[in-house]
Amino acid sequence: MKKSKVIAGILLTSLVFSYCTFGQTIVRRTYSKIEKKLAEDKNYLDVYSAMFQTSQVKLDGLSNIPRTNDKPPFNFSAAETNTYEIIFMKENAEFDSLVVLEVKETVDKAASTGDFFGTSSSEQSKEVNMVLTFQDVQELYFNHPEFYDALYKLTEHLIDLNEPVKLLGLKVDEQVNKSRGITSKNNQDFLNFQLSNSNHHYPKVAADTQKKSRRSRGQTPTTTATDFKIDASFGDVSFFYKDLDLGYSTVSGEVNMGAKVLNVQPWQAMSLTAGIRTLVTLSGSSQNLLEDFIIDAKLMGRTRLNTSKLVKSLPFVFVSETPKLNVGSGFILDLSATRAYGLPFFNFYLATGATQSFAPSVKYVDKNGDLVACFTPQQWESSMSFYWNSSEEMTLRFRMDLGVAGYSVEKINYTTGGPITQIYNQVQPTVSLYMNFAPKNVDFFGSTFRLFDNQLTVKLWMKLLEFSTDHSFRFETSYISAPMMRPQREWENPDGTSFVTIRYRYGF
Amino acid sequence: MSMKKILLFFCMIFLPLVLAQEADSTGTNPPLTDSTATTATAPDTTVTESAEQPAVDTPVTQEKPQAETAPTKVFDPSFRDLSNLSPKEQRLEKIYRNLEYNTTAFNDLKKTWIVTDPVYVREIYNRFVVKNALTIHGVKPSAEVLAQKSKDIYDGNVFVELRKRYYDDEIEILRFFTESKLITKDSSDYFFDEIRDYVFIKSILGDDMYQDLKKQFYALNDLTKTTYDNKYAYNYDIYFHIFDPELMFWNTTTDQRNKYLVSLIGRWGNDYVSLPGWYYPDYIVGVKVTYIDYLINNRPNNTYIIEMGTGIQARQPVLGIEADEISKRLFHTGASLYFKAQGNPVKLFMEDMLDIDLTIEGMLSLTQYKTKDFNLGYLTQFYSQRNHFTFFAKKKELVNFEDIGALGVGLGISSYDIYHFLLDPDQLKLTDLETNNKGKFKNNLLAEVSLAGEGGLLAHNLTTLFSYDYTESYGFLGFKMFFMLNNTIGFDFRYFTSYRFSTKPLPFYRSSSYLVFSPVIRINY
């Protein structure tokens, strides 16, 4: 009987021992995983820290704090060089209150050495020690709750004094994703586009993204850093001087060799256009470019200029034949306006001139053997612009112009001596797609695709150089295709034409 | 005898514990559950936690872990039931899985892929075997079980599913699963518990292999979900379509969340008179006003449409696919007025009224061109379609087939006229060769069946339109297919073929079949 009791006792003891060992092993390994996680994955942990010095707080119940792994009990040091940091986890889905995780001690050795010169302490002079590990703190929770409770209350007190420091390294506010691209409800997209593509001065607005512009109450334009702004290429020049900034309006000048609406390259249009451009903002008491009604208007005069022989020898214009369409003298009105009453952005272009008295630069022999000349006295275009961006970062910016355009062509027959007759005057739809690539709000690349009168115009530009933030150079090229899916008209070039230029921008 | 009983008693208790200890001694990692799964099933546990903090009693005695409802093991058997753990283990597990920034809302958007390279799968598997990191329901598998599972590895049926964290590039979940080769249904079997936490995964795989695993330079299947949204936005809508282009450029909202939209429209073709697309002589340009009775974000509630416009001469493209010669086309011969109204007017007064859309559509020619307007110097004759009228009633959702779409049916009548003109350059006006006005109008009976589905990545509309001209005893059967991907890009295809119940040939101005198509591009913000 005694033997059986002894054996039973041994078995019972073994049973209890193995159960305890089994449980402790799991717990020990979990401690190890968590401590490793706290040490290696700091950037992704949703934990906070509260810092204090012992002189700032009362440490009731926090002396001789027992620790694990045979470490001696811990006491907070009263030295001024010692700063303590409590790492904790705030309440979450599974915890209704904060959870204290670790306690660190930072010793400022530079201050402790009593440096005479009072040199400011660097990171190397600071020593960081883990005085209470995660295991130490949790064992307090389970086995010495009075110490844990004191730590808990201390942490709560520190939170009341100062906002705890978030140790999460993720910038979640900067990584907010949306599934669709965005379009701005105000003038932001319009201004972004004009700043990149317009050859005239546009005041810059300090609003990078839609989010920031929504928060700001008003966007005042930033002051220009240079007195002049110059945009020059082989086909056009524009200039602006700071004294022409009238506050509610700016005035700049432009000279160009092109002809909008017509599918012709600069210099091929055989005309010179010059005039002024004004940017007017209609605002209330304070100017807010993002919300104001903005009108960008050009008033230009155009005169004919015989470049028919020159255009074939210019190295940057590629045309297969001498141009045949004379562009008449007259005046030009080119308007762009921002959204009024919820309508889209609106563009209107009108070039008109005399239709009766005309001296052509170019005459040619038509298919009937007659000496004739064709000229276009009027061109117009009316369109609406729609903007959108691929994402909130506005790296890819799009604009689409949809509208109608038309031009008239009149013909003089010098052989028969008949009157000027109109041979063409049609209204046709026009579609233009613009795409700008602006990584981190820096203009780098732009493209335009325009379809009008069965001809496709492709324009590309790319920033080549930029130095001292005032000077930039762009490479630009333009290609106009031959007429597609219709017969060629007598004044048209049978092949496609190209134009290449370097654009210099100063002060933009 | 009593001694034997005592020994037997202790053996029954002792042996299972020895086996459990063996499982733990090899360093298995108890798999974690999703915090949301645990949260959803263990509300009592959090209540208990909040009572712990003031340290009134010792945490061990005070903590009363509630029995958690185990997550459904049918879908993911790797979830571990925390109720089997001691209070201490439970608390530590909960802390462990709540340390990271919670990204549960993005679980379906996180980068997910499956390693399919069988040799690479073995490499990964072997690392876990060597480090004894594999468990089945929290228990380390025996050598026999491991050998049996390894046979699936040898057969190449085992894959590794990985998921990265949302805000950085680290792998947060790794799990092995097997699939049957002859798959008639989803046969995925997660035959080991999933392994969580990139720190732990990296410690098992080693830094080099872990970095290699992240780079994805091996055979894999990318399961990352592509997000899309096709809800209609009301800032502007650019709808490119050769036959039905539309530009919505202005909108306003009333007090009762009703919306008015104004659009510029183009209309080319009339399916209800069996002249689709570019076979119709007029291109209608006009304005459309849409009224949405109480806007719901997913789709408009009740929509009413009014369109007004005028027809302009359209040039019919020659593609070489026409059934008959080009001379059988119709011509535009004057200014016209187009109108269309669509909606369910009765529903404005009686909310419970059947959801049937009524359409009234028509075109009236107001003027007739003079001979000189055609700019022709020779005698010729041609046909022209000048006026038409359609009344159509359609129930869009007769039966809803869920993912396939909604079955819709419609009935209606249409009437159109055909003028036969003689153009004599010496005459001022066109000569109408048919003096009997009654003979000009052709009347059609219409019936339509459609299957339309929207919402989701692909929107579609398959329609069969049956029309019968009982004045001429012939008809057309039209098949229309429309697809739109992500509400952005699509294609529209329409084919009409004729049939006759008499020996009378088709009229001269008619082709035996019509085929038209158009790409569709939409920019809607």
Side-chain angles (χ1 to χ4, degrees):
Chain A
M1 194 59 183
K2 274 191 181 178
K3 274 187 186 175
S4 62
K5 283 183 182 175
V6 167
I7 292 168
I10 292 170
L11 284 172
L12 185 62
T13 306
S14 304
L15 174 68
V16 172
F17 177 75
S18 57
Y19 180 81
C20 293
T21 307
F22 164 62
Q24 285 175 4
T25 305
I26 294 178
V27 169
R28 192 173 59 248
R29 293 191 188 277
T30 308
Y31 277 138
S32 170
K33 275 192 314 190
I34 295 174
E35 285 175 355
K36 198 170 181 182
K37 178 100 178 148
L38 288 168
E40 293 186 17
D41 202 12
K42 293 175 191 144
N43 207 42
Y44 217 90
L45 299 184
D46 193 14
V47 295
Y48 296 78
S49 79
M51 303 187 76
F52 69 97
Q53 287 183 315
T54 51
S55 58
Q56 299 165 349
V57 296
K58 289 181 183 175
L59 296 172
D60 296 334
L62 285 173
S63 58
N64 293 319
I65 301 173
R67 295 193 287 186
T68 60
N69 297 326
D70 300 325
K71 288 180 287 191
F74 172 73
N75 285 289
F76 286 96
S77 169
E80 289 293 322
T81 56
N82 287 26
T83 306
Y84 293 94
E85 182 182 7
I86 299 179
I87 314 291
F88 63 94
M89 188 169 67
K90 279 189 178 179
E91 61 185 66
N92 50 47
E94 290 191 286
F95 292 97
D96 287 341
S97 56
L98 63 88
V99 176
V100 180
L101 299 173
E102 299 172 324
V103 180
K104 290 183 186 175
E105 175 189 67
T106 304
V107 179
D108 189 355
K109 287 188 171 175
S112 64
T113 55
D115 189 347
F116 178 78
F117 293 101
T119 314
S120 60
S121 58
S122 64
E123 289 300 321
Q124 287 81 10
S125 66
K126 290 187 178 177
E127 184 182 314
V128 180
N129 305 309
M130 187 73 69
V131 292
L132 289 174
T133 62
F134 174 77
Q135 185 175 356
D136 293 337
V137 174
Q138 296 310 307
E139 288 299 316
L140 289 178
Y141 176 84
F142 291 116
N143 303 324
H144 303 281
E146 66 279 7
F147 286 104
Y148 184 87
D149 185 49
L151 264 179
Y152 178 87
K153 285 181 178 169
L154 173 62
T155 309
E156 281 195 323
H157 174 67
L158 292 171
I159 292 172
D160 291 338
L161 289 177
N162 294 303
E163 189 67 27
V165 174
K166 193 169 186 176
L167 298 181
L168 180 70
L170 300 174
K171 302 248 184 315
V172 292
D173 286 340
E174 293 177 9
Q175 297 185 56
V176 174
N177 291 322
K178 297 182 175 73
S179 62
R180 297 177 71 170
I182 59 162
T183 183
S184 63
K185 297 289 189 292
N186 54 19
N187 299 333
Q188 181 72 63
D189 289 336
F190 169 80
L191 292 170
N192 285 346
F193 180 87
Q194 297 297 350
L195 283 168
S196 299
N197 296 283
S198 174
N199 58 344
H200 286 277
H201 161 70
Y202 260 87
K204 283 188 181 175
V205 173
D208 288 337
T209 65
Q210 190 71 4
K211 209 184 333 181
K212 288 180 186 173
S213 65
R214 274 203 296 272
R215 283 203 287 269
S216 56
R217 299 182 69 184
Q219 293 296 329
T220 53
T222 58
T223 54
T224 54
T226 58
D227 292 346
F228 284 98
K229 282 184 194 286
I230 297 173
D231 182 294
S233 74
F234 299 153
D236 60 87
V237 175
S238 70
F239 53 90
F240 165 79
Y241 183 59
K242 64 170 185 177
D243 284 355
L244 295 175
D245 187 343
L246 307 175
Y248 63 91
S249 161
T250 60
V251 180
S252 49
E254 177 179 336
V255 177
N256 82 63
M257 304 298 297
K260 200 173 173 181
V261 178
L262 298 173
N263 289 323
V264 292
Q265 303 285 7
W267 298 91
Q268 191 187 4
M270 296 189 290
S271 66
L272 176 78
T273 305
I276 61 167
R277 169 265 193 182
T278 177
L279 182 73
V280 180
T281 56
L282 302 177
S283 54
S285 55
S286 64
Q287 194 179 42
N288 185 354
L289 281 179
L290 289 177
E291 304 293 341
D292 291 345
F293 181 67
I294 301 174
I295 299 175
D296 184 338
K298 287 183 190 175
L299 289 169
M300 320 266 280
R302 184 164 66 192
T303 180
R304 63 183 189 88
L305 186 68
N306 193 349
T307 57
S308 56
K309 292 187 173 61
L310 182 63
V311 71
K312 289 200 73 178
S313 57
L314 287 172
F316 43 83
V317 186
F318 303 93
V319 294
S320 58
E321 286 186 0
T322 303
K324 292 180 189 149
L325 186 63
N326 299 278
V327 179
S329 303
F331 84 92
I332 294 172
L333 173 66
D334 191 353
L335 278 176
S336 293
T338 57
R339 308 185 70 168
Y341 305 107
L343 289 168
F345 296 91
F346 184 72
N347 311 298
F348 179 73
Y349 174 90
L350 173 66
T352 184
T355 57
Q356 293 304 318
S357 58
F358 183 73
S361 300
V362 171
K363 298 175 188 174
Y364 63 94
V365 177
D366 68 1
K367 59 183 178 184
N368 298 326
D370 296 339
L371 185 66
V372 299
C374 290
F375 69 100
T376 169
Q378 286 176 353
Q379 309 93 47
W380 66 273
E381 181 175 329
S382 176
S383 63
M384 291 188 282
S385 297
F386 302 92
Y387 298 87
W388 71 96
N389 306 279
S390 58
S391 66
E392 194 176 12
E393 286 77 31
M394 298 182 181
T395 304
L396 274 178
R397 303 169 183 180
F398 297 90
R399 164 177 159 173
M400 180 168 281
D401 287 357
L402 294 169
V404 289
Y407 64 97
S408 60
V409 177
E410 306 204 353
K411 187 175 179 179
I412 312 169
N413 193 321
Y414 293 98
T415 302
T416 59
I420 297 173
T421 53
Q422 190 179 74
I423 59 172
Y424 180 84
N425 186 9
Q426 280 190 15
V427 176
Q428 296 201 56
T430 173
V431 178
S432 300
L433 175 66
Y434 304 82
M435 192 199 76
N436 276 19
F437 178 56
K440 296 182 182 164
N441 217 25
V442 174
D443 304 318
F444 180 70
F445 172 78
S447 60
T448 306
F449 301 87
R450 179 171 181 259
L451 184 65
F452 169 65
D453 198 17
N454 291 79
Q455 285 181 273
L456 179 68
T457 303
V458 180
K459 290 183 185 172
L460 307 169
W461 64 260
M462 189 170 75
K463 181 184 282 188
L464 282 179
L465 293 170
E466 185 177 274
F467 49 93
S468 75
T469 70
D470 290 330
H471 307 269
S472 74
F473 289 87
R474 290 182 180 178
F475 173 77
E476 287 188 12
T477 180
S478 161
Y479 172 76
I480 301 174
S481 73
M484 301 181 291
M485 294 198 292
R486 68 163 170 81
Q488 173 203 341
R489 300 187 185 112
E490 60 178 294
W491 62 85
E492 290 178 331
N493 199 304
D495 304 312
T497 58
S498 302
F499 177 73
V500 174
T501 181
I502 299 291
R503 183 175 294 277
Y504 168 67
R505 286 161 72 88
Y506 170 72
F508 281 84
Chain B
M1 199 59 183
S2 62
M3 178 60 186
K4 284 183 186 174
K5 284 182 185 173
I6 293 169
L7 279 172
L8 189 63
F9 173 72
F10 279 112
C11 284
M12 286 170 64
I13 296 173
F14 184 65
L15 272 173
L17 286 172
V18 169
L19 290 172
Q21 183 182 13
E22 185 184 11
D24 178 65
S25 66
T26 53
T28 55
N29 173 35
L32 302 172
T33 59
D34 269 326
S35 60
T36 51
T38 312
T39 306
T41 56
D44 294 335
T45 309
T46 57
V47 172
T48 307
E49 284 288 347
S50 62
E52 293 171 348
Q53 297 306 329
V56 173
D57 294 315
T58 57
V60 175
T61 56
Q62 188 181 9
E63 191 171 15
K64 297 171 189 176
Q66 300 296 322
E68 294 175 9
T69 307
T72 309
K73 291 188 178 177
V74 172
F75 299 105
D76 196 339
S78 66
F79 285 171
R80 191 177 177 189
D81 187 359
L82 285 186
S83 60
N84 293 332
L85 302 180
S86 68
K88 196 172 192 176
E89 290 163 2
Q90 278 194 22
R91 177 179 168 84
L92 293 178
E93 279 297 327
K94 285 181 187 174
I95 292 174
Y96 186 38
R97 64 191 187 199
N98 281 285
L99 283 174
E100 278 189 9
Y101 184 75
N102 196 333
T103 54
T104 304
F106 305 106
N107 276 349
D108 65 325
L109 301 180
K110 293 173 182 173
K111 288 178 193 167
T112 308
W113 72 102
I114 293 175
V115 181
T116 56
D117 185 327
V119 175
Y120 200 55
V121 167
R122 291 187 190 209
E123 295 277 0
I124 299 169
Y125 173 70
N126 200 52
R127 297 287 170 111
F128 282 86
V129 169
V130 165
K131 292 285 179 75
N132 289 308
L134 294 171
T135 57
I136 300 175
H137 300 304
V139 176
K140 181 197 153 187
S142 65
E144 290 77 20
V145 171
L146 209 58
Q148 189 189 358
K149 297 293 183 188
S150 297
K151 283 183 187 171
D152 290 321
I153 299 278
Y154 304 151
D155 293 340
N157 294 332
V158 178
F159 309 96
V160 178
E161 184 176 338
L162 298 142
R163 189 172 84 187
K164 281 189 178 177
R165 298 199 292 203
Y166 186 70
Y167 286 110
D168 66 7
D169 214 30
E170 309 299 343
I171 298 171
E172 67 171 9
I173 291 180
L174 183 152
R175 52 186 175 185
F176 295 91
F177 71 99
T178 183
E179 273 182 356
S180 167
K181 278 189 176 172
L182 297 174
I183 297 175
T184 54
K185 57 179 180 177
D186 184 8
S187 59
S188 300
D189 174 24
Y190 295 92
F191 64 148
F192 287 120
D193 297 338
E194 65 183 28
I195 300 106
R196 289 183 174 247
D197 180 28
Y198 101 89
V199 174
F200 181 72
I201 293 172
K202 193 163 82 167
S203 68
I204 300 296
L205 293 174
D207 193 49
D208 288 345
M209 187 164 195
Y210 177 76
Q211 297 300 331
D212 188 58
L213 197 61
K214 280 199 311 179
K215 281 182 195 167
Q216 297 182 317
F217 283 172
Y218 43 79
L220 58 91
N221 286 333
D222 190 350
L223 302 182
T224 309
K225 177 178 172 180
T226 306
T227 54
Y228 61 88
D229 179 33
N230 59 3
K231 296 183 184 59
Y232 189 77
Y234 295 94
N235 196 4
Y236 62 82
D237 185 19
I238 304 172
Y239 186 75
F240 285 111
H241 190 297
I242 295 177
F243 314 133
D244 295 314
E246 202 166 308
L247 172 63
M248 192 278 286
F249 60 92
W250 186 83
N251 77 93
T252 188
T253 309
T254 63
D255 289 339
Q256 284 79 32
R257 289 179 65 167
N258 304 322
K259 261 210 179 286
Y260 287 90
L261 312 174
V262 178
S263 313
L264 296 172
I265 57 166
R267 299 283 179 255
W268 199 7
N270 189 333
D271 294 346
Y272 294 129
V273 302
S274 304
L275 288 170
W278 49 67
Y279 294 99
Y280 198 76
D282 291 31
Y283 198 106
I284 311 288
V285 291
V287 175
K288 170 180 166 182
V289 176
T290 307
Y291 170 72
I292 300 172
D293 178 21
Y294 192 75
L295 184 66
I296 300 173
N297 286 325
N298 269 323
R299 57 181 300 176
N301 191 19
N302 288 315
T303 309
Y304 301 86
I305 291 167
I306 292 177
E307 297 179 5
M308 297 280 286
T310 183
I312 58 176
Q313 185 173 338
R315 191 192 318 161
Q316 180 180 337
V318 180
L319 302 176
I321 57 174
E322 293 80 14
D324 301 307
E325 293 175 7
I326 196 76
S327 58
K328 292 191 177 176
R329 61 173 280 198
L330 299 162
F331 289 83
H332 171 81
T333 55
S336 55
L337 177 68
Y338 164 85
F339 63 91
K340 178 179 174 180
Q342 186 178 72
N344 188 353
V346 186
K347 206 160 185 177
L348 283 173
F349 311 104
M350 294 166 62
E351 190 62 37
D352 297 332
M353 193 59 198
L354 280 177
D355 196 7
I356 293 180
D357 272 350
L358 303 178
T359 302
I360 298 173
E361 183 182 334
M363 188 173 80
L364 300 172
S365 285
L366 304 175
T367 65
Q368 186 173 303
Y369 286 162
K370 304 263 188 313
T371 310
K372 63 178 177 61
D373 295 323
F374 292 90
N375 221 13
L376 292 176
Y378 51 86
L379 191 70
T380 185
Q381 52 181 301
F382 58 87
Y383 291 88
S384 176
Q385 196 277 302
R386 290 172 55 81
N387 306 282
H388 72 257
F389 177 81
T390 302
F391 177 80
F392 199 81
K394 182 169 183 179
K395 181 152 177 66
K396 287 183 183 172
E397 287 190 27
L398 186 67
V399 179
N400 199 325
F401 293 115
E402 297 296 333
D403 291 338
I404 298 174
L407 182 72
V409 293
L411 291 171
I413 55 169
S414 69
S415 183
Y416 65 98
D417 62 2
I418 295 292
Y419 281 75
H420 187 185
F421 286 118
L422 173 72
L423 191 153
D424 186 348
D426 296 330
Q427 302 291 324
L428 193 62
K429 293 183 181 179
L430 297 171
T431 305
D432 187 357
L433 294 175
E434 272 199 40
T435 52
N436 181 8
N437 280 339
K438 281 189 184 175
K440 288 187 173 50
F441 277 88
K442 325 292 175 190
N443 305 310
N444 289 330
L445 294 173
L446 305 167
E448 182 180 278
V449 177
S450 66
L451 189 67
E454 57 180 352
L457 197 57
L458 182 68
H460 64 276
N461 192 328
L462 309 171
T463 304
T464 302
L465 176 63
F466 171 83
S467 69
Y468 179 66
D469 186 341
Y470 56 83
T471 45
E472 298 283 341
S473 301
Y474 71 90
F476 278 87
L477 191 62
F479 301 98
K480 299 194 281 187
M481 288 192 291
F482 175 84
F483 298 97
M484 194 93 174
L485 198 64
N486 199 18
N487 204 30
T488 302
I489 192 164
F491 192 76
D492 193 353
F493 173 88
R494 302 178 197 184
Y495 177 70
F496 284 71
T497 183
S498 65
Y499 63 90
R500 298 186 283 277
F501 292 126
S502 68
T503 53
K504 216 164 95 173
L506 281 177
F508 181 75
Y509 53 83
R510 278 288 187 189
S511 291
S512 58
S513 63
Y514 299 102
L515 172 65
V516 295
F517 50 87
S518 168
V520 181
I521 297 173
R522 184 177 215 165
I523 301 166
N524 175 226
Y525 283 95

